[in-house]
Amino acid sequence: MNLILMGCPGAGKGTQSAKLKETLNLKHISTGDVLRAQMAAGTELGKQVAALINQGNLVPDGLMISMLQNIISTTDQGVILDGFPRTVAQAQALDDMMKRLGRQISAVVMIDLPQEEVVKRLSSRRLCKKCGKPAATATQAACECGGELYVRGDDAPQSVKHRLEVYRQQTLPVKEYYQHSGKYVEINGNQTPDQVFEDICNVLKKVK
Ligand code: AP5
Ligand code: MG
């Protein structure tokens, strides 16, 4: 099974991917996580993309497409794509890639969330430097795994506002790209993480 998990910033793509990869034995590919790891390691690529990401802009298509191509062509496992494709050009490139590899997208799951909820979630998000998971409460000093907590550079209010605008302009057309493919489903993201997970699993039961 190969899934695309779509949704605006803060919709819960990372949270649901962590649950789904265990249940379905899939490889979780978050292009945002890959880019942040490059930034943390101080690589040339990391330096190149840091300003774009922190301001809430997209990294150029060419770079993202070759990054995904490298990851996907070296894994035989089914995948969850979290944060890719984010433009119609990326969606078209993904179609070509999958065709060449003899694979198929099984479902495109859109997690819907109202904008007010996005702002609320992202203004209080703190992530673990060690395991990458969001902190479960607003008051805890460190992650359950012992790792230090940090705030993402692009979770600053101005960047969140811009990310939402970029999402509307560049990523919503991707929804239209998949909407009539017979693989597209929408899930209400404004529920507890467990309820969202249950809804996704119910939808996936009907997918081969
Ligand atoms: P990326 O890392 O993909 O960020 P994003 O799409 O903005 O989404 P987030 O990771 O912020 O949110 P999420 O949906 O994963 O939610 P989460 O589960 O964490 O991309 C970052 C940047 O990288 C982009 O802006 C761009 O610059 C670049 N980039 C990446 N991919 C690219 C591409 N393909 N092309 C070009 N550029 C690219 O949840 C959010 C918070 O809410 C957490 O605190 C969580 O605990 C909480 N939460 C989750 N679910 C619930 C729930 N049901 N109820 C209550 N709280 C919840
Ligand atoms: Mg994420």
Side-chain angles (χ1 to χ4, degrees), residues 6-8 11 110-114 167 175 184 186-190:
M6 286 191 73
C8 65
M110 165 65 89
I111 307 176
D112 267 333
L113 193 70
Y167 176 77
K175 165 179 164 172
Y184 178 85
E186 282 183 2
I187 301 286
N188 174 13
N190 203 6

Side-chain angles (χ1 to χ4, degrees), residues 7-16 30-33 35-36 52-53 56-61 64 82-87 90 117 121-122 124-127 134-135 152 154-155 163 189-193 196:
C8 65
K13 303 181 293 295
T15 303
Q16 295 304 323
S30 158
T31 43
D33 286 350
L35 292 166
R36 280 184 292 278
L52 284 171
I53 291 180
N57 287 310
L58 295 187
V59 171
D61 282 336
M64 295 311 302
D82 157 6
F84 190 101
R86 250 180 158 94
T87 62
Q90 291 182 17
E117 193 59 29
R121 283 187 189 179
L122 295 187
S124 60
R125 174 167 66 177
R126 292 178 308 148
L127 294 155
R152 256 170 61 173
D154 61 347
D155 279 348
R163 279 158 69 197
N190 203 6
Q191 316 178 72
T192 66
V196 177

Side-chain angles (χ1 to χ4, degrees), residues 6-27:
M6 286 191 73
C8 65
K13 303 181 293 295
T15 303
Q16 295 304 323
S17 295
K19 290 167 166 284
L20 288 165
K21 75 170 180 187
E22 298 297 337
T23 313
L24 302 171
N25 187 29
L26 299 174
K27 182 182 170 76

Side-chain angles (χ1 to χ4, degrees), residues 1-167:
M1 182 182 281
N2 296 294
L3 299 179
I4 295 177
L5 219 49
M6 286 191 73
C8 65
K13 303 181 293 295
T15 303
Q16 295 304 323
S17 295
K19 290 167 166 284
L20 288 165
K21 75 170 180 187
E22 298 297 337
T23 313
L24 302 171
N25 187 29
L26 299 174
K27 182 182 170 76
H28 174 206
I29 303 173
S30 158
T31 43
D33 286 350
V34 174
L35 292 166
R36 280 184 292 278
Q38 295 284 330
M39 281 160 66
T43 63
E44 268 316 304
L45 172 65
K47 287 179 197 155
Q48 200 184 328
V49 299
L52 284 171
I53 291 180
N54 287 331
Q55 286 160 13
N57 287 310
L58 295 187
V59 171
D61 282 336
L63 219 156
M64 295 311 302
I65 290 165
S66 58
M67 174 188 284
L68 192 85
Q69 164 87 49
N70 287 339
I71 303 173
I72 218 165
S73 61
T74 52
T75 178
D76 292 331
Q77 213 180 343
V79 296
I80 305 174
L81 297 180
D82 157 6
F84 190 101
R86 250 180 158 94
T87 62
V88 170
Q90 291 182 17
Q92 286 165 340
L94 178 64
D95 275 350
D96 292 345
M97 234 181 266
M98 296 301 270
K99 211 176 282 170
R100 276 200 303 275
L101 293 166
R103 298 193 206 168
Q104 275 197 2
I105 296 296
S106 321
V108 180
V109 177
M110 165 65 89
I111 307 176
D112 267 333
L113 193 70
Q115 188 169 329
E116 320 80 74
E117 193 59 29
V118 170
V119 174
K120 217 191 298 170
R121 283 187 189 179
L122 295 187
S123 62
S124 60
R125 174 167 66 177
R126 292 178 308 148
L127 294 155
C128 176
K129 273 191 182 167
K130 206 161 129 195
C131 71
K133 286 191 182 149
T137 70
T139 48
Q140 69 196 75
C143 179
E144 282 96 6
C145 78
E148 199 186 324
L149 297 173
Y150 77 102
V151 175
R152 256 170 61 173
D154 61 347
D155 279 348
Q158 266 315 99
S159 302
V160 170
K161 207 170 146 216
H162 187 61
R163 279 158 69 197
L164 283 167
E165 193 49 42
V166 168
Y167 176 77

